[in-house]
Amino acid sequence: MSRINQGYGSTNLKAREINLKEYYDLIKKRLWLMILIIILTTLAGYFYDSKYNNYVPLYETSTRIIIGPEAESMVTLMVMIKDPSILEKVIQELELTRTTETLAAQIDVVRLDESRVIQIAVTDEDPVLAANIANETARIFKEDIVSILQFSDVRLLSEAKEMPYPLNEKSNGITIIAFVFGVVVSIGLVFLLDSLDGTLKKDRDVEEILGVPVLGVISNMNRKKYISKKHKNYQDLEIRGETIGVE
């Protein structure tokens, strides 16, 4: 029983190796078609991504201010940073063409680790403008808070600097999907063309159709090889004839 199982297993392994070799030969035969389809689909995905994906880089930078211990409410001071009266002066100083609501949406005020340090972060499409907005907001807040809340213990801790790298990197998801789609479609097309091909390629195909074993196979010789071989035989005959004539 064990011998039968071993023989059956070796037969399955041999059949699997034959099938894998057939698949490899099939893909190798139409590899040019697969490469062409993959290139076309990938390029289509790339151009679609470049044209219709409205990618806008966003840059973020921040400045920090420190509030003195005499402040009664840190929350009130943080709210005042985004007050329209302060943001209007920022818009005027930087000659911006946006409303105070739009500017307020670009500014994020955060208290760091329950300390008296407040971070003013600004996000904008222009990295230089983002730094200018953050610094100007901190400066105007420091000047106006004296007259608004009668509080002057505000110091600039660090200035905002231009950030060279955007927060959101451009995604190549559509291009990658197009590449994978091209691979799948090309492989499927190769196997489809092979299934539609009615020519007999292997000895066992003939045996299955005719029901008789194949005793021999005549190799395929194209016209170019046939003419070359015929010309070579003709030259050999001429050389032999000349040799016979000389004797």
Side-chain angles (χ1 to χ4, degrees):
M1 183 69 178
S2 61
R3 292 181 179 178
I4 295 175
N5 292 334
Q6 290 178 358
Y8 180 74
S10 61
T11 303
N12 287 342
L13 181 60
K14 185 176 181 181
R16 186 188 307 172
E17 291 177 353
I18 293 175
N19 291 335
L20 291 177
K21 186 177 183 303
E22 290 177 357
Y23 295 153
Y24 173 77
D25 293 337
L26 178 61
I27 293 176
K28 183 179 179 182
K29 178 181 177 182
R30 301 185 185 274
L31 184 61
W32 64 271
L33 180 61
M34 295 179 58
I35 295 176
L36 179 62
I37 294 175
I38 292 172
I39 291 175
L40 291 177
T41 55
T42 305
L43 289 177
Y46 173 77
F47 286 118
Y48 179 86
D49 193 13
S50 301
K51 185 175 181 180
Y52 295 102
N53 187 10
N54 298 323
Y55 168 70
V56 178
L58 297 176
Y59 300 87
E60 184 183 60
T61 186
S62 62
T63 182
R64 294 181 180 181
I65 60 176
I66 184 168
I67 306 298
E70 298 178 358
E72 296 181 358
S73 176
M74 293 289 291
V75 177
T76 302
L77 293 174
M78 292 171 62
V79 172
M80 289 300 301
I81 294 176
K82 299 173 66 173
D83 189 76
S85 61
I86 293 178
L87 297 184
E88 285 178 0
K89 292 183 179 181
V90 174
I91 293 174
Q92 292 176 0
E93 290 292 332
L94 298 178
E95 298 180 353
L96 303 178
T97 58
R98 62 193 69 175
T99 62
T100 56
E101 290 80 7
T102 303
L103 185 58
Q106 297 179 239
I107 301 175
D108 187 22
V109 181
V110 180
R111 183 180 180 181
L112 301 180
D113 298 330
E114 299 299 325
S115 65
R116 294 190 172 274
V117 178
I118 296 177
Q119 176 177 279
I120 304 173
V122 178
T123 304
D124 195 85
E125 300 176 9
D126 187 351
V128 178
L129 183 58
N132 293 337
I133 292 175
N135 292 329
E136 195 66 22
T137 302
R139 185 187 66 82
I140 294 176
F141 171 76
K142 181 178 180 296
E143 294 176 355
D144 289 10
I145 201 66
V146 177
S147 59
I148 297 174
L149 297 178
Q150 303 299 320
F151 182 77
S152 60
D153 195 2
V154 178
R155 289 174 292 169
L156 298 177
L157 190 61
S158 62
E159 290 187 352
K161 296 181 181 179
E162 175 186 352
M163 298 300 293
Y165 304 106
L167 289 174
N168 53 336
E169 297 182 358
K170 185 176 182 180
S171 176
N172 295 322
I174 297 179
T175 305
I176 297 175
I177 293 174
F179 172 79
V180 175
F181 177 77
V183 173
V184 175
V185 170
S186 61
I187 294 176
L189 182 61
V190 166
F191 283 99
L192 176 62
L193 293 177
D194 180 70
S195 64
L196 296 178
D197 190 359
T199 58
L200 301 178
K201 307 179 184 65
K202 304 176 184 64
D203 301 346
R204 67 169 178 267
D205 295 338
V206 179
E207 292 177 354
E208 291 177 358
I209 295 176
L210 300 180
V212 294
V214 177
L215 300 178
V217 179
I218 301 175
S219 60
N220 185 19
M221 180 180 294
N222 56 32
R223 182 176 179 83
K224 185 177 181 180
K225 290 182 179 179
Y226 175 76
I227 295 175
S228 176
K229 186 175 181 180
K230 184 177 180 181
H231 182 67
K232 183 178 180 181
N233 294 335
Y234 181 74
Q235 289 181 344
D236 291 341
L237 289 174
E238 286 184 347
I239 293 174
R240 291 177 184 176
E242 291 177 358
T243 304
I244 294 173
V246 171
E247 291 179 357

